Short mmCIF file of all heavy atoms in Angstrom, two decimals:
data_model
loop_
_atom_site.label_atom_id
_atom_site.label_comp_id
_atom_site.label_asym_id
_atom_site.label_seq_id
_atom_site.Cartn_x
_atom_site.Cartn_y
_atom_site.Cartn_z
N ILE A 236 0.85 -1.24 0.01
CA ILE A 236 0.00 0.02 -0.09
C ILE A 236 0.80 1.21 0.01
O ILE A 236 1.60 1.51 1.02
CB ILE A 236 -0.96 0.03 1.27
CG1 ILE A 236 -1.85 -1.29 1.28
CG2 ILE A 236 -1.74 1.21 1.26
CD1 ILE A 236 -2.43 -1.45 2.53
N LYS A 237 0.96 1.89 -1.14
CA LYS A 237 1.75 3.09 -1.15
C LYS A 237 1.09 4.27 -0.54
O LYS A 237 -0.04 4.54 -0.87
CB LYS A 237 2.13 3.33 -2.67
CG LYS A 237 2.71 2.19 -3.35
CD LYS A 237 2.72 2.29 -4.82
CE LYS A 237 3.22 1.04 -5.58
NZ LYS A 237 2.22 -0.07 -5.48
N ARG A 238 1.70 4.99 0.32
CA ARG A 238 1.13 6.08 0.89
C ARG A 238 2.20 7.16 1.14
O ARG A 238 3.46 7.04 1.03
CB ARG A 238 0.48 5.83 2.33
CG ARG A 238 1.46 5.20 3.30
CD ARG A 238 0.81 4.70 4.58
NE ARG A 238 1.71 4.54 5.65
CZ ARG A 238 1.94 5.48 6.47
NH1 ARG A 238 1.37 6.70 6.38
NH2 ARG A 238 2.87 5.49 7.56
N VAL A 239 1.69 8.41 1.30
CA VAL A 239 2.47 9.61 1.35
C VAL A 239 2.98 9.69 2.73
O VAL A 239 2.59 8.98 3.66
CB VAL A 239 1.68 10.86 0.91
CG1 VAL A 239 1.35 10.77 -0.57
CG2 VAL A 239 0.37 11.01 1.69
N GLY A 240 3.77 10.70 3.06
CA GLY A 240 4.36 10.75 4.34
C GLY A 240 3.49 11.25 5.53
O GLY A 240 3.73 12.34 6.12
N ILE A 241 2.42 10.61 5.74
CA ILE A 241 1.45 10.99 6.83
C ILE A 241 1.86 10.13 8.07
O ILE A 241 2.13 8.94 7.81
CB ILE A 241 0.06 10.70 6.42
CG1 ILE A 241 -0.29 11.49 5.20
CG2 ILE A 241 -0.89 11.05 7.64
CD1 ILE A 241 -1.68 11.20 4.57
N VAL A 242 2.00 10.73 9.22
CA VAL A 242 2.42 10.01 10.38
C VAL A 242 1.36 9.09 10.82
O VAL A 242 1.67 7.70 10.97
CB VAL A 242 2.61 10.92 11.57
CG1 VAL A 242 2.97 10.18 12.81
CG2 VAL A 242 3.80 11.93 11.26
N ASN A 243 0.13 9.42 10.85
CA ASN A 243 -0.98 8.40 11.15
C ASN A 243 -1.39 7.78 9.95
O ASN A 243 -2.14 8.40 9.18
CB ASN A 243 -2.07 9.20 11.97
CG ASN A 243 -3.21 8.23 12.30
OD1 ASN A 243 -3.29 7.13 12.00
ND2 ASN A 243 -4.13 8.73 13.17
N ALA A 244 -1.07 6.52 9.79
CA ALA A 244 -1.45 5.81 8.53
C ALA A 244 -2.99 5.83 8.24
O ALA A 244 -3.41 5.82 7.09
CB ALA A 244 -1.06 4.31 8.63
N MET A 245 -3.73 5.89 9.25
CA MET A 245 -5.23 5.78 9.08
C MET A 245 -5.79 7.03 8.49
O MET A 245 -6.91 7.22 8.11
CB MET A 245 -6.04 5.40 10.39
CG MET A 245 -5.72 3.96 10.80
SD MET A 245 -6.06 2.77 9.60
CE MET A 245 -7.79 2.70 9.56
N ASP A 246 -5.00 8.12 8.53
CA ASP A 246 -5.34 9.45 7.92
C ASP A 246 -5.13 9.39 6.46
O ASP A 246 -5.62 10.22 5.71
CB ASP A 246 -4.48 10.55 8.55
CG ASP A 246 -4.91 10.93 9.96
OD1 ASP A 246 -6.10 10.57 10.30
OD2 ASP A 246 -4.10 11.64 10.65
N ASP A 247 -4.41 8.36 5.95
CA ASP A 247 -4.25 8.29 4.40
C ASP A 247 -5.52 7.47 3.88
O ASP A 247 -5.73 6.33 4.38
CB ASP A 247 -2.88 7.48 4.20
CG ASP A 247 -2.53 7.32 2.77
OD1 ASP A 247 -3.40 6.81 1.98
OD2 ASP A 247 -1.62 7.89 2.33
N GLU A 248 -6.15 8.12 2.97
CA GLU A 248 -7.42 7.57 2.46
C GLU A 248 -7.10 6.14 1.92
O GLU A 248 -7.90 5.21 2.12
CB GLU A 248 -8.02 8.32 1.59
CG GLU A 248 -8.58 9.64 2.10
CD GLU A 248 -9.13 10.56 1.09
OE1 GLU A 248 -9.38 10.28 -0.04
OE2 GLU A 248 -9.48 11.72 1.48
N ASN A 249 -5.97 5.91 1.09
CA ASN A 249 -5.80 4.69 0.51
C ASN A 249 -5.54 3.61 1.45
O ASN A 249 -5.98 2.43 1.33
CB ASN A 249 -4.56 4.69 -0.62
CG ASN A 249 -4.93 5.67 -1.69
OD1 ASN A 249 -6.01 5.73 -2.10
ND2 ASN A 249 -3.90 6.37 -2.12
N PHE A 250 -4.71 3.87 2.57
CA PHE A 250 -4.37 2.91 3.50
C PHE A 250 -5.61 2.43 4.34
O PHE A 250 -5.82 1.31 4.55
CB PHE A 250 -3.33 3.52 4.43
CG PHE A 250 -2.82 2.49 5.53
CD1 PHE A 250 -1.89 1.63 5.07
CD2 PHE A 250 -3.41 2.50 6.72
CE1 PHE A 250 -1.42 0.67 6.10
CE2 PHE A 250 -3.04 1.55 7.75
CZ PHE A 250 -1.98 0.61 7.40
N ALA A 251 -6.40 3.51 4.73
CA ALA A 251 -7.62 3.32 5.47
C ALA A 251 -8.66 2.37 4.74
O ALA A 251 -9.09 1.45 5.21
CB ALA A 251 -8.16 4.51 5.91
N ALA A 252 -8.68 2.73 3.39
CA ALA A 252 -9.65 1.86 2.69
C ALA A 252 -9.12 0.45 2.39
O ALA A 252 -9.86 -0.52 2.55
CB ALA A 252 -9.78 2.54 1.16
N ALA A 253 -7.78 0.29 2.34
CA ALA A 253 -7.26 -1.10 2.28
C ALA A 253 -7.45 -1.92 3.51
O ALA A 253 -7.72 -3.08 3.44
CB ALA A 253 -5.78 -1.03 1.86
N VAL A 254 -7.25 -1.24 4.67
CA VAL A 254 -7.47 -1.92 5.91
C VAL A 254 -8.91 -2.23 6.12
O VAL A 254 -9.25 -3.46 6.42
CB VAL A 254 -7.01 -1.01 7.07
CG1 VAL A 254 -7.45 -1.59 8.40
CG2 VAL A 254 -5.49 -0.89 7.16
N LYS A 255 -9.81 -1.42 5.77
CA LYS A 255 -11.23 -1.67 5.93
C LYS A 255 -11.76 -2.83 4.93
O LYS A 255 -12.65 -3.51 5.26
CB LYS A 255 -12.09 -0.39 5.71
CG LYS A 255 -11.86 0.55 6.83
CD LYS A 255 -12.58 1.82 6.57
CE LYS A 255 -12.31 2.90 7.65
NZ LYS A 255 -12.80 4.23 7.40
N ALA A 256 -11.19 -2.83 3.75
CA ALA A 256 -11.39 -3.80 2.71
C ALA A 256 -11.08 -5.23 3.21
O ALA A 256 -11.66 -6.28 2.70
CB ALA A 256 -10.67 -3.57 1.43
N THR A 257 -10.13 -5.39 4.24
CA THR A 257 -9.85 -6.70 4.78
C THR A 257 -11.04 -7.39 5.44
O THR A 257 -11.09 -8.51 5.63
CB THR A 257 -8.57 -6.68 5.62
OG1 THR A 257 -8.94 -5.99 6.80
CG2 THR A 257 -7.40 -6.16 4.96
N GLY A 258 -11.93 -6.53 6.01
CA GLY A 258 -13.07 -6.99 6.78
C GLY A 258 -12.71 -7.42 8.20
O GLY A 258 -13.55 -7.98 8.95
N ARG A 259 -11.47 -7.25 8.64
CA ARG A 259 -11.02 -7.70 9.90
C ARG A 259 -11.52 -6.66 11.00
O ARG A 259 -11.44 -5.55 10.80
CB ARG A 259 -9.57 -7.97 9.94
CG ARG A 259 -9.13 -9.08 9.13
CD ARG A 259 -7.61 -9.10 9.07
NE ARG A 259 -7.09 -10.19 8.20
CZ ARG A 259 -6.47 -11.17 8.63
NH1 ARG A 259 -6.10 -11.32 9.81
NH2 ARG A 259 -6.14 -12.10 7.71
N LYS A 260 -11.79 -7.26 12.12
CA LYS A 260 -12.10 -6.39 13.31
C LYS A 260 -10.76 -6.01 14.07
O LYS A 260 -10.73 -5.01 14.73
CB LYS A 260 -13.17 -6.98 14.26
CG LYS A 260 -14.46 -7.08 13.58
CD LYS A 260 -15.48 -7.52 14.47
CE LYS A 260 -16.90 -7.64 13.76
NZ LYS A 260 -17.88 -8.12 14.65
N LYS A 261 -9.84 -6.93 13.99
CA LYS A 261 -8.58 -6.71 14.74
C LYS A 261 -7.52 -6.73 13.59
O LYS A 261 -7.54 -7.62 12.78
CB LYS A 261 -8.34 -7.79 15.79
CG LYS A 261 -9.33 -7.75 16.86
CD LYS A 261 -9.02 -8.77 17.89
CE LYS A 261 -10.01 -8.77 19.01
NZ LYS A 261 -9.68 -9.77 20.03
N PHE A 262 -6.53 -5.83 13.76
CA PHE A 262 -5.49 -5.64 12.73
C PHE A 262 -4.23 -5.29 13.46
O PHE A 262 -4.17 -4.29 14.25
CB PHE A 262 -5.96 -4.59 11.83
CG PHE A 262 -5.46 -4.67 10.43
CD1 PHE A 262 -5.97 -5.56 9.45
CD2 PHE A 262 -4.25 -3.94 9.99
CE1 PHE A 262 -5.49 -5.72 8.20
CE2 PHE A 262 -3.71 -4.15 8.76
CZ PHE A 262 -4.30 -5.02 7.87
N ILE A 263 -3.18 -5.89 13.20
CA ILE A 263 -1.84 -5.62 13.81
C ILE A 263 -1.06 -4.92 12.76
O ILE A 263 -0.87 -5.34 11.59
CB ILE A 263 -1.09 -6.82 14.23
CG1 ILE A 263 -1.93 -7.51 15.43
CG2 ILE A 263 0.32 -6.47 14.79
CD1 ILE A 263 -1.32 -8.89 15.73
N ILE A 264 -0.50 -3.69 13.12
CA ILE A 264 0.31 -2.89 12.18
C ILE A 264 1.57 -2.75 12.90
O ILE A 264 1.64 -2.25 14.08
CB ILE A 264 -0.32 -1.61 11.86
CG1 ILE A 264 -1.84 -1.78 11.12
CG2 ILE A 264 0.51 -0.65 11.01
CD1 ILE A 264 -2.53 -0.53 11.07
N ALA A 265 2.72 -2.90 12.26
CA ALA A 265 4.01 -2.57 12.73
C ALA A 265 4.69 -1.67 11.73
O ALA A 265 4.33 -1.64 10.59
CB ALA A 265 4.83 -3.90 12.88
N GLY A 266 5.67 -0.92 12.28
CA GLY A 266 6.37 0.03 11.29
C GLY A 266 7.64 0.45 11.95
O GLY A 266 7.94 0.14 13.11
N VAL A 267 8.42 1.17 11.08
CA VAL A 267 9.73 1.70 11.51
C VAL A 267 9.64 3.14 11.30
O VAL A 267 9.11 3.68 10.32
CB VAL A 267 10.80 1.09 10.56
CG1 VAL A 267 12.12 1.70 10.93
CG2 VAL A 267 10.84 -0.40 10.77
N THR A 268 10.14 3.87 12.26
CA THR A 268 10.13 5.29 12.04
C THR A 268 11.70 5.74 12.07
O THR A 268 12.57 5.13 12.61
CB THR A 268 9.40 6.03 13.24
OG1 THR A 268 9.50 7.45 12.87
CG2 THR A 268 10.07 5.90 14.48
N THR A 269 11.88 6.74 11.32
CA THR A 269 13.31 7.32 11.38
C THR A 269 13.25 8.80 11.71
O THR A 269 12.31 9.51 11.25
CB THR A 269 13.91 7.22 9.92
OG1 THR A 269 13.17 7.93 9.01
CG2 THR A 269 14.12 5.77 9.49
N MET A 270 14.02 9.07 12.65
CA MET A 270 14.10 10.44 13.12
C MET A 270 15.52 10.99 13.11
O MET A 270 16.38 10.15 13.67
CB MET A 270 13.38 10.66 14.47
CG MET A 270 13.32 11.99 15.02
SD MET A 270 12.47 11.99 16.53
CE MET A 270 10.94 12.66 15.98
N CYS A 271 15.66 12.19 12.84
CA CYS A 271 17.07 12.59 12.84
C CYS A 271 17.06 13.85 13.72
O CYS A 271 16.33 14.85 13.47
CB CYS A 271 17.56 12.95 11.48
SG CYS A 271 19.24 13.64 11.36
#
């Protein structure tokens, strides 16, 4: 799921739609952040 640099992934319409399309009630999301 390609998304722009939004910190909260669920604020990205494409990501939120992909998550909702799974039909799951529970979803585990992991990520890496880089900060300088």
